[in-house]
Amino acid sequence: MPSNATKARVTIRCTNGLSGSGRFIADNASVTNRSCLLNLLDNGPLTYASGVSPSKWLSWNSSFGPETTTYLTGPNAWTIWDEGGIYQDVTSGFEVGDQLAFGYWALQPSVNPFIGNPASQMRMLFYDAQGGTIEINWAMPYLMATNHGNTWSYRGDLDQWVFSHNVSR
């Protein structure tokens, strides 16, 4: 985490790549503090309570919803459509010198799959006290139109901590 960051915003979104359409399903998101191996997200499993986003998450472009028939751990996952997404701010659970890792599980269903250039993305954006963006990091690899077949795959730094960020303030 950059030394002047006051929060990290985690987003899970579908980008249409300027052409394309479709959806993906996300489940079990995490921002993990490597020193204690705790998920810093509230409701990482993306369980649904009511409204247009998973409980304790916010959303934009209301083109998404709970997925109750296809999920990794249940009782639901979250479907995200064209240029829509969910986000959550992380402001605690780490100290100077900690490493943060992030990722999520994604699936491209056979019904309404990606057509063209869309991709799933999980990003962690760091902000300063004035609300300016300091740094943006992506969980890789993206889920693309070529990744089809109703198979769950992890997107992020599960074992290698490749995209870990040293926290400093």
Side-chain angles (χ1 to χ4, degrees):
M1 188 167 201
S3 60
N4 57 339
T6 57
K7 73 176 177 183
R9 174 167 289 168
V10 176
T11 67
I12 301 174
R13 63 182 295 220
C14 182
T15 177
N16 70 14
L18 303 177
S19 66
S21 62
R23 69 180 178 131
F24 75 96
I25 301 172
D27 205 351
N28 291 342
S30 65
V31 173
T32 306
N33 181 331
R34 187 176 182 192
S35 67
C36 60
L37 300 181
L38 293 177
N39 189 352
L40 303 181
L41 292 174
D42 287 329
N43 190 16
L46 308 177
T47 54
Y48 178 67
S50 64
V52 296
S53 57
S55 179
K56 304 203 180 206
W57 288 77
L58 300 171
S59 60
W60 75 92
N61 286 355
S62 59
S63 53
F64 36 80
E67 174 61 55
T68 58
T69 59
T70 303
Y71 50 82
L72 193 60
T73 57
N76 66 272
W78 204 259
T79 296
I80 301 177
W81 289 82
D82 309 321
E83 294 301 323
I86 56 176
Y87 67 96
Q88 185 178 127
D89 292 338
V90 178
T91 59
S92 63
F94 46 84
E95 297 177 2
V96 172
D98 286 349
Q99 289 184 324
L100 303 180
F102 64 106
Y104 67 109
W105 287 86
L107 175 142
Q108 187 179 168
S110 57
V111 177
N112 298 311
F114 288 155
I115 298 171
N117 298 315
S120 72
Q121 295 179 342
M122 182 179 192
R123 301 185 303 173
M124 188 169 358
L125 300 90
F126 295 100
Y127 293 92
D128 62 21
Q130 292 74 40
T133 305
I134 302 168
E135 184 177 308
I136 302 173
N137 299 282
W138 289 267
M140 300 297 274
Y142 300 146
L143 185 70
M144 307 292 287
T146 55
N147 306 115
H148 52 80
N150 284 325
T151 302
W152 287 102
S153 59
Y154 190 79
R155 306 295 171 177
D157 48 346
L158 182 64
D159 296 319
Q160 302 294 327
W161 302 95
V162 173
F163 303 105
S164 297
H165 304 284
N166 288 315
V167 175
S168 58
R169 290 192 206 189

